[in-house]
Amino acid sequence: MARQERAIRTRRTILEAAAAVFDERGYTSATIGEILDRAGVTKGALYFHFGSKEELAVGVFEEQLAIALPPQSSKLQELVDSGLVLARRLRSEPLVRASVGLALDQGAMDLDRTPAFRMWIDQNVQMLAEAKAQGELLPHVDVAETAELLVGSFSGVQLLSQLRCQRQDLERRVVVMFEHFLPGIAVPAVLARLDISVERGEWVLAQGRVQGRVPGRGQGQGQGQGQVPEQGRVQEGAVPTQVSSGA
């Protein structure tokens, strides 16, 4: 067990070092040597976890999704929560910032960045498909197209926030995005119960951490995701702050 925990810590150290170097130098200019120096590990340790610089980049990509949040009875609420939590993490976690920056790095011509967007889109497709199965979506909604539109919208919103104020207003911008986006896809009765508040991302993230559900890759991601105790679950009609139909 001690050896496994040490391996998990080493992998995380390498990812954080790679993220920092990619963020500072760009993917193309970054070298394995720089990442090794930053991480303070041996070449053997790095190659035990990652076979190449591209595999390191994929590992960084995965960090923006490497989190499990408290489940909600509404799958659209889970969709909103994932967006608001990502906005919060972009402001507070350097590795997540590097992940998104790397995915949008147009100078990284020798890096296939499609897996980053594919993983993100697939996650949204799953949540939207579950929402549709529960009758939360309007009949005309195409799940795959909606997932791609949401990912594209979030990418643009966070980039604008980064350029304007280093993402200081990102949560508010994401709230505005959802307020305009959700009325076009959600059944009105469901829409009226969604919490789309600026404060929700921090609150949900704290609930996930309290329940021990913020694993890194290789730490049993997806395990231990049982039911959230009633005091930690947000029910319809009993959310901290509610926004009705948004736009």
Side-chain angles (χ1 to χ4, degrees):
M1 183 63 69
R3 181 178 298 178
Q4 182 182 9
E5 291 176 355
R6 185 165 59 250
I8 290 169
R9 288 196 299 270
T10 299
R11 188 181 192 279
R12 181 73 180 189
T13 297
I14 294 168
L15 279 176
E16 290 175 349
V21 175
F22 290 151
D23 191 42
E24 295 167 11
R25 302 267 290 149
Y27 176 80
T28 302
S29 298
T31 67
I32 291 293
E34 290 173 308
I35 295 169
L36 288 172
D37 289 342
R38 184 71 61 95
V41 301
T42 65
K43 185 179 292 187
L46 186 149
Y47 281 111
F48 175 80
H49 293 282
F50 304 98
S52 65
K53 188 169 77 168
E54 185 169 6
E55 283 190 18
L56 268 170
V58 172
V60 173
F61 287 152
E62 290 174 340
E63 282 302 310
Q64 63 181 288
L65 304 179
I67 184 169
L69 299 175
Q72 308 297 328
S73 56
S74 167
K75 293 302 175 180
L76 278 183
Q77 185 66 67
E78 290 186 6
L79 184 76
V80 170
D81 289 352
S82 68
L84 292 173
V85 165
L86 180 55
R88 181 67 183 174
R89 295 179 73 208
L90 273 166
R91 291 188 56 217
S92 61
E93 299 181 27
L95 208 160
V96 177
R97 286 198 296 273
S99 172
V100 173
L102 192 59
L104 297 175
D105 182 3
Q106 297 187 33
M109 303 300 294
D110 52 343
L111 172 66
D112 181 8
R113 292 171 290 143
T114 57
F117 289 99
R118 185 74 266 157
M119 288 185 287
W120 193 3
I121 290 168
D122 287 347
Q123 183 189 65
N124 285 332
V125 164
Q126 180 178 348
M127 284 185 283
L128 286 165
E130 292 173 353
K132 190 165 190 175
Q134 292 187 178
E136 298 183 45
L137 301 185
L138 296 170
H140 71 273
V141 174
D142 182 289
V143 166
E145 290 180 352
T146 302
E148 290 188 356
L149 179 60
L150 181 57
V151 168
S153 299
F154 189 102
S155 298
V157 164
Q158 72 83 27
L159 180 57
L160 180 61
S161 179
Q162 178 190 6
L163 294 174
R164 293 289 296 273
C165 59
Q166 293 299 303
R167 299 194 180 98
Q168 291 303 305
D169 65 353
L170 180 55
E171 284 126 308
R172 178 58 196 162
R173 288 183 184 272
V174 171
V175 165
V176 172
M177 178 194 75
F178 276 126
E179 287 175 346
H180 286 76
F181 186 87
L182 290 168
I185 69 169
V187 170
V190 174
L191 181 65
R193 294 195 297 266
L194 296 178
D195 179 6
I196 322 173
S197 60
V198 171
E199 299 82 8
R200 183 170 175 89
E202 183 175 5
W203 186 86
V204 172
L205 187 56
Q207 293 302 308
R209 285 177 172 154
V210 166
Q211 297 300 322
R213 293 193 181 92
V214 191
R217 301 294 293 186
Q219 290 178 278
Q221 184 185 357
Q223 298 177 359
Q225 296 180 32
Q227 293 298 311
V228 178
E230 289 302 315
Q231 64 269 27
R233 180 190 292 274
V234 177
Q235 300 284 1
E236 292 90 347
V239 293
T241 306
Q242 287 188 330
V243 174
S244 57
S245 59

